[in-house]
Amino acid sequence: MSKPRMRLEKLTIDKDLDKVSRAEEASQYVMRGLAAPGLGLLFLILSMAFAASYFTGASGMGIVVAGAAIAAYMAMNIGANDVTNNVGAAVGAKAMTMATALGIAAVFEIAGAVIAGRKVTLTIEAGIVDGVQLVSLDVLVWVMMAALLSSAVWINIATYARAPVSTTHSIVGGIIGAGLAAQGLASVKWWAIAGITASWSVSPLLGGAIAALFLAFLKEFVIYRDDKIAAARYWMPIVLGITAGSFTAYVAIFALVHLQVISLWTGLLIGALAGIACYGLCKPWIHRQSVGLENRNQSLRKLFRLPLIFSAALLSFAHGANDVSNAIGPLSAIVSAVNGTISTARSVAPFWVLLIGAFGISMGLLLYGPILIRVVGEEITRLNPMRAFCVALATAVTVLLASALGLPISSTHTAVGAVFGVGFFREWYIRHSRRRLEYIRRRTGQSDFMGEAIETNFAEIRRRRLVRRSYFLTIVAAWVITLPASALLSALVYRLLAGLFL
């Protein structure tokens, strides 16, 4: 065979191999896109099989299995949308990688749900619509089924639109809409709705204000001090003590309420003791960690990294304990109705129902959580470990303060409001802080504003916008329409289901 012919055949083979490799790459790309929906569908099927295996009722198996599938779908949407608030700030601050954040959140969400989420919260299973007013248990079943499906669809739409919304408001809106469609105004407990409406404005504003206050404190007393390390050694043990106390009280009062009811003042006392103990332990630890660090902000970020990881884990635990009820509350009500009873405010969810909610939340987080983790942690405003720490601490403190005032609030709104609060405060601080300008003058060796270039530089810095307004408007709009949109969708779904099965 001649050399030109051999060379031609070799080129032909190379081209064919390139085509095969490109086809393989294309198929792998397509398969990656189908992997998440495929795994989600597999989880729904397993949830249905799990419900069929453990449901002990004499009848109504088909309804319970269908409800389990919808509850699993709802739980996955909660994980995709709501859990991101717990770890988004830490990822945005580069305190942990996306994989680490997903792993920590998944483990602690399951732990919180399984350990402290056994009993269903009041507002989900029996606190929004009056089962007695619905008269028929069949009606109650389809009200809860419609609420689950509509709220899950709404959260799915919000996640696709990259808008973090309150899953509690979504399920509450779903129950309201279906209750109104079933039996009219008398079926809804309107006092609960008034509290939820108040939380729309209270929670983000309060979370943002507290986060801004924490950040202002750190800037004034640590970040813009000539000796940052000495300031950190003095103030960080105090800040970490307050953090430990706040989170301990948060977990004691809210996350463990399903195991043991702890009064607000008892929880605050437990938190105070934990804070004092943390201060005693952190003071020598901070001193050891700060030895040899340079006097710059990057050193402070290293000191805040580990506390931020712990705060993200604790927030995930508390969230799993509380918000798992948004998925399992309606399913528990369906199981009770199928068994011939009306759910009460203190009814206990079956353990198999709890497991569907717990693992569903983690499954949704692992499959779709990165979308909104990036929005909350990176795209609203720029975060570092210190700012992210302020967001996490403000979320816990806000929930405690609101409880003392008797205000029901959303953890989602609180966390996202804290992120916005940090960003807007930084804009204000850059424009108005004298301490910051004096610090920059000393660091640059300028005793005053010398020259037009320096004037122009400071003017440009003051004009910067550190919060993306497009995300702000999108998220606020999603908050406002969540409850009415979920209610309207649920009413339509209930009418459809009632026409088919009632």
Side-chain angles (χ1 to χ4, degrees), residues 44-361:
L44 296 186
I45 295 172
L46 291 175
S47 298
M48 295 169 68
F50 194 64
S53 300
Y54 285 92
F55 177 62
T56 57
S59 62
M61 174 68 75
I63 293 175
V64 171
V65 169
I70 300 173
Y73 173 53
M74 174 65 173
M76 285 196 295
N77 280 288
I78 292 173
N81 193 289
D82 216 18
V83 182
T84 57
N85 304 308
N86 304 329
V87 296
V91 173
K94 305 297 188 292
M96 63 176 80
T97 64
M98 179 69 74
T100 301
L102 292 174
I104 289 175
V107 169
F108 280 88
E109 285 284 337
I110 292 175
V114 172
I115 293 172
R118 185 67 188 271
K119 287 189 178 179
V120 181
T121 55
L122 307 184
T123 56
I124 302 305
E125 186 176 356
I128 300 300
V129 295
D130 191 339
V132 176
Q133 291 292 332
L134 293 177
V135 182
S136 170
L137 292 176
D138 290 337
V139 172
L140 179 61
V141 166
W142 297 113
V143 163
M144 291 300 173
M145 199 80 81
L148 266 180
L149 183 58
S150 61
S151 56
V153 169
W154 170 250
I155 298 168
N156 201 332
I157 293 171
T159 303
Y160 181 79
R162 300 163 64 85
V165 296
S166 172
T167 57
T168 302
H169 288 186
S170 300
I171 190 65
V172 168
I175 295 174
I176 290 172
L180 289 174
Q183 294 294 330
L185 298 176
S187 65
V188 179
K189 298 181 179 179
W190 294 105
W191 58 269
I193 312 309
I196 293 168
T197 303
S199 76
W200 284 352
S201 57
V202 171
S203 56
L205 293 177
L206 199 56
I210 294 177
L213 287 174
F214 282 131
L215 184 59
F217 174 84
L218 290 178
K219 285 182 177 292
E220 290 294 306
F221 292 96
V222 179
I223 297 173
Y224 289 121
R225 292 287 174 172
D226 290 330
D227 192 342
K228 302 174 188 290
I229 303 303
R233 287 173 177 171
Y234 179 81
W235 285 111
M236 271 198 68
I238 297 175
V239 172
L240 294 179
I242 294 173
T243 303
S246 300
F247 277 116
T248 301
Y250 182 96
V251 172
I253 296 172
F254 298 101
L256 300 180
V257 69
H258 311 310
L259 295 178
Q260 176 66 45
V261 177
I262 298 175
S263 69
L264 177 64
W265 296 111
T266 302
L268 291 176
L269 177 60
I270 294 172
L273 295 175
I276 294 171
C278 180
Y279 173 83
L281 294 172
C282 286
K283 195 170 182 63
W285 179 79
I286 292 295
H287 190 275
R288 289 195 303 271
Q289 294 294 315
S290 61
V291 172
L293 292 180
E294 297 181 19
N295 186 36
R296 60 196 193 115
N297 287 345
Q298 188 63 37
S299 300
L300 298 179
R301 293 169 187 170
K302 293 179 180 179
L303 293 177
F304 274 94
R305 188 166 292 141
L306 186 60
L308 180 56
I309 292 174
F310 278 109
S311 68
L314 288 171
L315 273 176
S316 296
F317 180 91
H319 180 272
N322 286 287
D323 280 20
V324 70
S325 62
N326 293 339
I328 69 171
L331 178 57
S332 181
I334 291 170
V335 173
S336 297
V338 168
N339 286 330
T341 61
I342 293 178
S343 303
T344 64
R346 296 291 177 184
S347 60
V348 179
F351 191 68
W352 64 267
V353 172
L354 177 64
L355 290 179
I356 289 176
F359 283 93
I361 288 176

Side-chain angles (χ1 to χ4, degrees), residues 346-422:
R346 296 291 177 184
S347 60
V348 179
F351 191 68
W352 64 267
V353 172
L354 177 64
L355 290 179
I356 289 176
F359 283 93
I361 288 176
S362 293
M363 180 65 71
L365 171 68
L366 294 173
L367 295 179
Y368 297 104
I371 298 173
L372 284 183
I373 285 178
R374 292 190 179 93
V375 171
V376 174
E378 300 175 4
E379 297 181 6
I380 294 175
T381 189
R382 187 176 178 182
L383 295 173
N384 61 27
M386 290 169 285
R387 298 169 199 152
F389 183 80
C390 292
V391 171
L393 182 55
T395 301
V397 171
T398 300
V399 173
L400 289 171
L401 180 60
S403 175
L405 297 174
L407 299 173
I409 65 172
S410 164
S411 60
T412 302
H413 291 188
T414 303
V416 177
V419 174
F420 279 118
V422 163

